[in-house]
Amino acid sequence: MLEIYKNSTYAENNPDWHEADAPWKATQIGTMIKRNKITFDSLCEVGCGTGDVILNLERAFDFSRGFGYEISPHAYRRAKSKETTRTKFYLEDVFDAPDAPFDVLLAVDVIEHVEDYINFTKRLRSLAKFKIFHIPLDLSVQSLLRRRPILHLRASVGHLHYFFKDSALATLRDCGYNVIDYCYTASRIELPNQALSSRLMSVPRRAMFALNKDLTVRVLGGYSLLVLAE
């Protein structure tokens, strides 16, 4: 499956590389960092895409060194053109990073794409003091009943693994992480350019979420999980 990122397949299916989502994702991450009073000087993002998440964070935080690692030549070329004096991008495996360990490492919508996600997640532990994961919660009652949403995610964006809140947290703990904080993010409600079905579902999702967060996410879906771990 890694070949779809190294060749043109993913780029053809997602020509914008979800750049419009980056400010929203950076805002969620920034809120988590501030809430937990995390101070850091170096920030690394694994699977950084075209680099806009870490560049948005550069504008919000005063860290001195930013590192973006990407395996797709297409995404890397776009990221490389945006380099700053503080943030650099690399077309290589993050596990070969000479500057590790970092203060904070981001894995934003990454582990669901990795074939051996357990080993991958375990290996990330040694690369930074703090790790922030953003994990789509693709499993819900409505997605299982409809089936199409999950199959569409597999075909269009390469999701190989599907999580709900408890399985995502259990995965991190089984991989040796101490979970410090986590929260839901309203990915299918607040992200731009959503499908009509997601826009129609936003009203019941918002209403139910105000009453019972866990039940809403398990039944209606539409949310992701943001986790701070060490």
Side-chain angles (χ1 to χ4, degrees):
M1 286 297 294
L2 287 177
E3 291 306 312
I4 71 170
Y5 310 107
K6 293 182 178 180
N7 60 32
S8 62
T9 304
Y10 190 90
E12 290 171 356
N13 290 338
N14 305 274
D16 63 351
W17 286 90
H18 313 290
E19 286 179 330
D21 300 349
W24 177 87
K25 291 179 179 179
T27 297
Q28 312 309 308
I29 294 164
T31 299
M32 176 69 79
I33 290 172
K34 292 174 182 176
R35 183 166 69 232
N36 288 276
K37 298 180 172 58
I38 302 297
T39 58
F40 60 102
D41 189 57
S42 61
L43 177 66
C44 172
E45 184 179 8
V46 54
C48 66
T50 61
D52 289 86
V53 170
I54 195 169
L55 291 173
N56 272 273
L57 289 167
E58 182 188 286
R59 291 188 280 272
F61 292 92
D62 192 30
F63 61 86
S64 62
R65 298 181 302 150
F67 305 85
Y69 284 85
E70 178 55 51
I71 64 167
S72 166
H74 300 81
Y76 167 73
R77 285 194 292 269
R78 291 172 69 157
K80 190 70 174 177
S81 69
K82 306 172 189 176
E83 277 192 344
T84 70
T85 56
R86 292 162 58 193
T87 299
K88 306 300 180 183
F89 297 99
Y90 304 89
L91 182 63
E92 57 187 74
D93 193 323
V94 69
F95 299 112
D96 297 326
D99 294 287
F102 309 98
D103 295 327
V104 177
L105 180 141
L106 310 177
V108 182
D109 301 334
V110 168
I111 66 171
E112 67 275 10
H113 297 270
V114 180
E115 290 184 17
D116 186 359
Y117 75 100
I118 294 291
N119 184 54
F120 176 81
T121 304
K122 285 180 178 179
R123 293 180 69 195
L124 289 179
R125 281 186 58 220
S126 64
L127 296 184
K129 180 178 181 181
F130 296 105
K131 278 71 64 170
I132 296 178
F133 295 88
H134 192 249
I135 305 170
L137 301 179
D138 295 330
L139 292 181
S140 67
V141 172
Q142 71 88 15
S143 68
L144 289 171
L145 287 174
R146 292 172 59 203
R147 295 189 300 169
R148 186 182 180 279
I150 292 177
L151 295 176
H152 176 70
L153 288 168
R154 191 178 190 90
S156 64
V157 293
H159 286 197
L160 300 177
H161 312 285
Y162 312 98
F163 299 93
F164 60 101
K165 184 191 81 172
D166 303 275
S167 66
L169 293 175
T171 292
L172 294 178
R173 289 171 176 140
D174 289 347
C175 289
Y177 289 84
N178 172 41
V179 174
I180 300 170
D181 191 12
Y182 66 87
C183 65
Y184 291 121
T185 64
S187 50
R188 287 286 176 256
I189 295 174
E190 297 174 356
L191 281 172
N193 306 318
Q194 291 300 305
L196 177 60
S197 58
S198 292
R199 297 199 299 273
L200 292 174
M201 286 292 292
S202 65
V203 173
R205 280 170 173 158
R206 287 184 188 274
M208 283 187 61
F209 193 79
L211 298 174
N212 190 316
K213 294 180 176 61
D214 287 341
L215 181 62
T216 302
V217 177
R218 285 199 301 269
V219 174
L220 298 183
Y223 289 80
S224 296
L225 194 69
L226 187 67
V227 184
L228 171 65
E230 61 179 355

